[in-house]
Amino acid sequence: MSGRIRRKSLKLLEAEEIPEEEMPSPSTSQATKRKSVSKPVPPIVPPSASPKRPAKSCEKAACGAKIPICFSQMSERCAISSYTSRWYHLSPGEHFCNECFEFYYRSHKKGYEIFAKWKHNWSSNGKTEASLKNFMADQILPYWVQCTAPSCGKWRELPRKTEMTSDLIRKYICGIDDKAGKKSGGCEEAEDPRASATTEYFWIATLLFPPFLHDAPFAPFTRAYFPDGVGMSATYAPPPRSCNGHSGHRESRSDSDFDSCSESSDGSSSGKSIQHVQHQSHIPHLSPYFHPFYQPDEQRPALCLRPDIMESDEEKAFPEFAVAQQMYLGLRNMAIALWNLSPKEWLTVQRCTPHYICRGLVRIRGLHELSRVLSFLTRMGWINTGLLPALTRGVDILPGYSKPSVLVVGAGTAGLAAARQLRNFGVTVTVLEAQNRLGGRVFDDESLGVCIGRGAHIVNGCVNNPISLLCEQSGIKMRHIRPKCDLIDESGKQIDGSTDKRIDFHFNALLDIVAGWRKDKKRAKDTHLLGKILDMHTQFVEESQLTFSEEELQVLQFHFSNLEYACGCSLKELSALQWDQNEDYPQFAGEHTIMTQGYSSILKKLAEGLDVRLNVQVDRIDYSGQTVLVKAGGEEWTADKVLVTIPLAILKKRVIKFIPQLPAQKQKAISSLGSGIIEKVVLQFPSRFWSGKTGKADCFGHVPRTEDLRGLFPVFYDLTLKSSGFTSCVLMTHVCGQAISLIKEKTDTEVVDMCVDVLKKMFPEQDVRFPSRYIVTQWRSDAYAEMSYSYIPVGCSGETYDTMAEDVGEKVYFAGEATNRQFPQSVTGAYLSGIREVTKMVSPPPDT
């Protein structure tokens, strides 16, 4: 239901709730006025002389309650367990009699005001019908609590006036009255059979209402939603909050409210927009990087869940909740909220139980399902992931799940993420790495006095990014990159801000036109992106009769180079149809950040406690038998499964022989995707000579003089450590796209000379000298990488990433950024691909 239901008048009663024997006849009022002969009035029989009517059973199909007991017992005439004209069913063990129904429903009865007040409150906050049955479930049903004595664990019904609290749940012992402190019985008393009946498979099918939680931990996260739509009681919900943080009306939502938005992979203008979300600052202890639930009217960020709807994976795992989802949503939303509030410790059933508060036997069933829900969320990597302490010996976080032995080939981000997750799950795992170090294409260098990422160094969008989670768990800090990026040309002139904005708008408009062109799939034939952009630009100039100055065309080349950096290749190689295919999926929101201690600081922590074998170059993977045989020189390893995480460029070279050969579609995917190259140049100077023009900006841009110089040192990042007293003044830049050919045959010193020459032209007023120290990367010739990240060349499609991610015979699995269609070209994508493959390897028990 997407909106509020039209509710009936307080003075009307739903026909199905009125006992048939009390429904007035249409002619009753007229009959009382007639003076015609009527039937004689029978004599009054005293109660003691009237025959005792037999008790009625519950009329609810499949209920099975032969002698129901009224849990309410509020009416003086309550039937308790004797005859009543009608029993009202809430669950197989919970009924109330017609006399108690009338006690609350009839306006002249004492309970009417209580019900009417509740109904007004529920109708104001909730979207489900405020019926009297719902009132009974929400306000009158007794609480059930489990004894915490180690040798007991029996479920007990709390006395009527005892309110359930988290503290009571943690400390309850059989027979103790929470308020009076008296013992009415101990652990030796038998458990009520209604409690054990709740765990039967079909019990839930006869449940009238799902559990609506009281004071749920996810309440602060979901104040913009109807509480009963997310598994929470509408009478225990906090006031609604609009997305801008102010009080407002709750809103119902449709799928159209969740249009996806994507972002630039380098934090600069590249035709992609950076999305922003409202941080829920009103929630104590919540990291500003965590945003677990979608909020109405915001762009859809990655790794967010809708609190009011199950995801497709959830419906497959819990088909019994697919239609009536509130019970599952209450459990899931509780777990996600608790995990985000405290991600440094394992989320277990014991941690969740005190927060699961609702009335009735359904609480027992909900906690019975909780273990399954936590196991599912853990397996998916939504909770209990990352840098967590080792579990106590004997504790199984995924009870009943298959845990095959695994060999991981490659100790880069994907391999270490998978291995850590497998170890967390209790799986035997060994990592084989060809190099003498961890990290793969993550390689940090501190030789210049600051941490330099020779490979990855930027976190692209920190909200919900798993890298942010790892930083939160380990205490590692990230530094925000300020968005200011002044452009300077080779005459030393700073480009006017209005010119930059105008050309940036034009550039993005061209990309929008290209996006419109490719919607016509019948007419659109793939070509390289640069040619298509230039065609659109020429057409625009002809139709508008506008002219572009030389400076404006140079700035346009700067934006071209930014896009080449984001995609890892020349625009002449990039598919015009598919270059940004991942924009069809939600992307990470928030600011871009720099890892001040480098990505290696995270990977080293991931590797702690793992069995990692360095200097082991795998050359053969034989998966023809029951197990997988992996060979490296004269050494051999066997396991149930193997995860291959080596770079795409190395897969292309076929340095590993697969027996039997990989399927044809897998080989085609490997050969089809492109292997992009980005090289970095890092320079250390005695002073920050650039600060006179750039101020405190974290970066500044270089506008190329000619088109053939596009991609040659386009952006300079200021990595000077402010706390160091500017003793280590460092600039980092890169070479990308077609400019890679300009340095291909150059020595490191010659490349540095080229870079210094550019800086001299940009800062002619300064005495720019050769740097005291420098770093020039050579990823294109690195024997273990030969690339930076993947891209989609002309004629290829995003589906190739999906093919790259497919396992072979449930024995050989693949991970890495080139297998992640949603987040390619990033450390985050590599990390998530490793988690994804663990989810596939570790399967749930057959009966779940």
Side-chain angles (χ1 to χ4, degrees):
M1 297 172 65
S2 61
R4 290 194 177 92
I5 302 170
R6 185 183 299 275
R7 292 173 175 80
K8 302 170 186 178
S9 168
L10 290 178
K11 294 186 178 181
L12 294 179
L13 182 64
E14 298 86 336
E16 65 273 13
E17 291 184 341
I18 302 177
E20 292 180 4
E21 46 271 65
E22 300 206 6
M23 290 286 284
S25 169
S27 60
T28 301
S29 59
Q30 296 179 5
T32 58
K33 296 179 181 179
R34 294 172 182 170
K35 295 183 179 180
S36 57
V37 178
S38 59
K39 295 180 180 180
V41 178
I44 298 175
V45 181
S48 59
S50 61
K52 186 175 182 180
R53 295 185 181 183
K56 294 181 67 174
S57 61
C58 178
E59 298 175 2
K60 177 76 173 180
C63 174
K66 300 300 182 183
I67 307 178
I69 300 175
C70 179
F71 62 79
S72 174
Q73 301 185 20
M74 294 299 294
S75 171
E76 294 178 356
R77 299 172 56 235
C78 177
I80 305 179
S81 61
S82 60
Y83 174 82
T84 183
S85 59
R86 179 176 178 180
W87 285 107
Y88 291 89
H89 171 101
L90 295 185
S91 81
E94 295 164 321
H95 303 80
F96 62 96
C97 66
N98 186 64
E99 287 72 18
C100 287
F101 174 92
E102 290 192 341
F103 176 79
Y104 287 107
Y105 183 77
R106 301 299 182 187
S107 59
H108 63 282
K109 297 288 187 178
K110 293 180 180 179
Y112 176 77
E113 287 189 13
I114 299 173
F115 170 57
K117 183 178 179 180
W118 172 90
K119 187 169 186 176
H120 175 76
N121 190 5
W122 188 280
S123 300
S124 299
N125 293 321
K127 69 175 184 175
T128 52
E129 187 70 23
S131 66
L132 195 137
K133 289 182 180 180
N134 204 344
F135 164 76
M136 288 291 200
D138 187 61
Q139 296 290 308
I140 308 302
L141 271 176
Y143 290 106
W144 288 78
V145 65
Q146 190 172 28
C147 178
T148 58
S151 60
C152 182
K154 295 185 179 72
W155 286 95
R156 304 299 187 189
E157 179 182 332
L158 289 180
R160 180 181 304 280
K161 294 184 179 181
T162 302
E163 283 295 319
M164 181 176 284
T165 64
S166 295
D167 192 53
L168 171 64
I169 294 171
R170 293 187 184 97
K171 299 178 180 179
Y172 180 80
I173 300 294
C174 286
I176 295 181
D177 186 317
D178 182 52
K179 293 193 174 182
K182 299 177 181 178
K183 274 213 166 202
S184 58
C187 295
E188 66 277 3
E189 287 191 5
E191 182 182 75
D192 191 317
R194 292 179 297 166
S196 59
T198 61
T199 61
E200 295 177 3
Y201 181 79
F202 293 104
W203 185 90
I204 199 170
T206 61
L207 181 67
L208 194 62
F209 294 105
F212 290 125
L213 304 189
H214 303 176
D215 303 318
F218 58 86
F221 294 89
T222 58
R223 290 170 66 174
Y225 290 84
F226 290 111
D228 48 340
V230 296
M232 187 165 52
S233 169
T235 56
Y236 291 85
R241 178 183 293 270
S242 62
C243 283
N244 59 14
H246 304 294
S247 295
H249 298 290
R250 290 191 170 91
E251 303 177 26
S252 58
R253 302 165 55 185
S254 63
D255 291 336
S256 61
D257 295 324
F258 302 99
D259 294 333
S260 62
C261 176
S262 59
E263 59 194 298
S264 166
S265 61
D266 65 344
S268 55
S269 301
S270 65
K272 302 180 181 180
S273 60
I274 302 173
Q275 59 176 317
H276 300 275
V277 296
Q278 288 286 338
H279 171 55
Q280 295 161 328
S281 56
H282 60 284
I283 303 176
H285 312 299
L286 181 67
S287 166
Y289 300 138
F290 296 171
H291 191 81
F293 299 109
Y294 295 153
Q295 300 301 311
D297 302 325
E298 74 177 7
Q299 294 172 319
R300 184 177 185 178
L303 304 190
C304 253
L305 293 171
R306 284 187 62 169
D308 59 339
I309 290 180
M310 294 172 68
E311 301 287 323
S312 59
D313 287 331
E314 294 174 307
E315 291 184 348
K316 292 177 183 177
F318 300 92
E320 66 271 32
F321 296 119
V323 176
Q325 300 185 356
Q326 282 90 342
M327 175 181 280
Y328 175 82
L329 291 174
L331 292 166
R332 180 253 267 169
N333 292 342
M334 175 184 68
I336 294 295
L338 290 174
W339 167 250
N340 278 268
L341 291 170
S342 185
K344 296 181 181 181
E345 54 182 320
W346 290 95
L347 186 64
T348 61
V349 171
Q350 290 71 29
R351 270 189 61 197
C352 292
T353 298
H355 301 279
Y356 194 73
I357 300 175
C358 62
R359 292 182 180 271
L361 290 165
V362 71
R363 179 172 185 266
I364 304 176
R365 180 55 181 258
L367 290 175
H368 177 71
E369 300 289 347
L370 179 60
S371 177
R372 287 178 60 210
V373 173
L374 291 183
S375 293
F376 170 79
L377 297 176
T378 298
R379 173 175 170 259
M380 295 297 293
W382 297 351
I383 64 171
N384 292 334
T385 187
L387 298 170
L388 291 169
L391 285 167
T392 305
R393 184 180 296 275
V395 175
D396 189 353
I397 199 66
L398 290 178
Y401 278 60
S402 66
K403 299 182 177 70
S405 58
V406 179
L407 289 168
V408 177
V409 181
T413 304
L416 292 177
R420 179 70 181 218
Q421 189 83 326
L422 288 166
R423 197 210 70 165
N424 286 349
F425 292 171
V427 174
T428 301
V429 56
T430 301
V431 183
L432 308 177
E433 169 56 47
Q435 300 187 76
N436 60 359
R437 63 173 181 85
L438 304 173
R441 284 166 282 174
V442 169
F443 185 16
D444 295 328
D445 190 326
E446 299 185 11
S447 63
L448 304 188
V450 296
C451 186
I452 304 297
R454 285 175 170 262
H457 70 289
I458 293 178
V459 181
N460 299 312
C462 55
V463 174
N464 287 349
N465 197 309
I467 303 303
S468 300
L469 169 65
L470 297 174
C471 289
E472 183 77 12
Q473 291 173 324
S474 60
I476 294 174
K477 301 297 183 183
M478 296 185 290
R479 178 167 65 87
H480 290 169
I481 302 175
R482 285 168 285 199
K484 181 183 179 183
C485 183
D486 291 335
L487 303 185
I488 305 172
D489 68 16
E490 292 193 6
S491 69
K493 176 186 175 182
Q494 284 185 270
I495 304 299
D496 183 74
S498 61
T499 300
D500 182 22
K501 288 182 180 178
R502 187 167 63 253
I503 299 304
D504 178 60
F505 179 84
H506 174 66
F507 173 64
N508 283 283
L510 292 175
L511 293 178
D512 289 339
I513 296 171
V514 172
W517 158 79
R518 66 188 180 201
K519 287 181 180 179
D520 188 352
K521 299 185 181 299
K522 293 182 178 179
R523 297 180 57 187
K525 184 179 180 181
D526 203 5
T527 183
H528 62 78
L529 183 59
L530 180 62
K532 183 54 64 175
I533 292 176
L534 293 177
D535 287 346
M536 299 303 181
H537 173 73
T538 301
Q539 184 178 344
F540 172 79
V541 170
E542 291 175 351
E543 293 177 357
S544 66
Q545 297 297 305
L546 294 177
T547 58
F548 288 77
S549 67
E550 181 180 0
E551 180 182 86
E552 289 173 332
L553 292 175
Q554 290 174 347
V555 174
L556 186 59
Q557 292 297 324
F558 167 80
H559 288 291
F560 286 171
S561 68
N562 253 353
L563 188 54
E564 290 181 326
Y565 173 57
C567 296
C569 67
S570 168
L571 298 186
K572 292 181 179 179
E573 303 172 81
L574 198 61
S575 166
L577 286 178
Q578 294 284 318
W579 70 276
D580 61 345
Q581 57 81 35
N582 61 315
E583 285 198 358
D584 292 336
Y585 304 92
Q587 298 296 304
F588 291 109
E591 298 175 314
H592 302 311
T593 58
I594 288 181
M595 299 288 296
T596 54
Q597 299 178 45
Y599 270 110
S600 294
S601 60
I602 291 290
L603 298 190
K604 288 177 182 177
K605 289 185 177 295
L606 282 175
E608 289 178 0
L610 297 179
D611 181 9
V612 181
R613 315 287 179 90
L614 299 178
N615 300 307
V616 177
Q617 187 163 345
V618 172
D619 52 38
R620 182 183 296 252
I621 296 177
D622 186 342
Y623 61 100
S624 60
Q626 288 293 108
T627 58
V628 179
L629 175 64
V630 175
K631 294 185 177 182
E635 297 182 277
E636 294 183 356
W637 290 266
T638 59
D640 297 316
K641 300 177 186 295
V642 62
L643 174 62
V644 180
T645 70
I646 64 177
L648 173 64
I650 305 304
L651 280 174
K652 287 177 178 288
K653 292 182 65 177
R654 300 189 179 188
V655 296
I656 296 179
K657 183 177 181 180
F658 291 90
I659 302 175
Q661 288 188 358
L662 295 176
Q665 65 269 23
K666 175 73 75 173
Q667 296 187 48
K668 182 180 179 181
I670 292 172
S671 62
S672 297
L673 271 182
S675 303
I677 291 291
I678 303 290
E679 298 293 6
K680 291 187 176 182
V681 180
V682 190
L683 311 174
Q684 185 184 55
F685 295 99
S687 65
R688 295 178 68 246
F689 63 82
W690 55 89
S691 62
K693 282 185 179 178
T694 64
K696 296 182 179 180
D698 288 327
C699 58
F700 56 88
H702 160 224
V703 177
R705 184 176 67 258
T706 59
E707 179 183 348
D708 61 302
L709 297 177
R710 182 181 73 238
L712 189 64
F713 321 124
V715 177
F716 288 85
Y717 292 91
D718 185 354
L719 299 184
T720 302
L721 274 180
K722 306 300 186 290
S723 60
S724 67
F726 303 118
T727 56
S728 183
C729 304
V730 176
L731 285 179
M732 181 180 71
T733 186
H734 57 263
V735 182
C736 62
Q738 64 183 20
I740 290 291
S741 62
L742 300 178
I743 66 168
K744 198 170 185 179
E745 306 299 329
K746 303 288 186 182
T747 65
D748 289 357
T749 303
E750 289 172 331
V751 173
V752 172
D753 277 331
M754 294 170 67
C755 189
V756 170
D757 184 57
V758 167
L759 288 171
K760 288 180 177 180
K761 294 174 180 176
M762 295 173 68
F763 301 93
E765 71 282 0
Q766 300 292 331
D767 182 18
V768 181
R769 299 188 178 183
F770 196 83
S772 54
R773 287 184 292 179
Y774 59 82
I775 296 170
V776 179
T777 65
Q778 300 284 345
W779 289 108
R780 61 192 182 278
S781 58
D782 187 306
Y784 302 105
E786 297 190 14
M787 65 177 295
S788 296
Y789 40 80
S790 61
Y791 67 90
I792 300 182
V794 177
C796 194
S797 74
E799 294 177 357
T800 308
Y801 283 110
D802 293 333
T803 304
M804 289 291 300
E806 293 175 356
D807 63 87
V808 179
E810 296 185 353
K811 291 182 182 179
V812 183
Y813 297 77
F814 294 84
E817 59 84 19
T819 72
N820 195 322
R821 183 174 186 176
Q822 187 173 1
F823 308 111
Q825 307 160 340
S826 65
V827 173
T828 300
Y831 179 90
L832 288 173
S833 72
I835 302 299
R836 177 199 67 214
E837 295 309 299
V838 173
T839 301
K840 291 159 62 176
M841 293 180 191
V842 179
S843 56
D847 59 345
T848 61

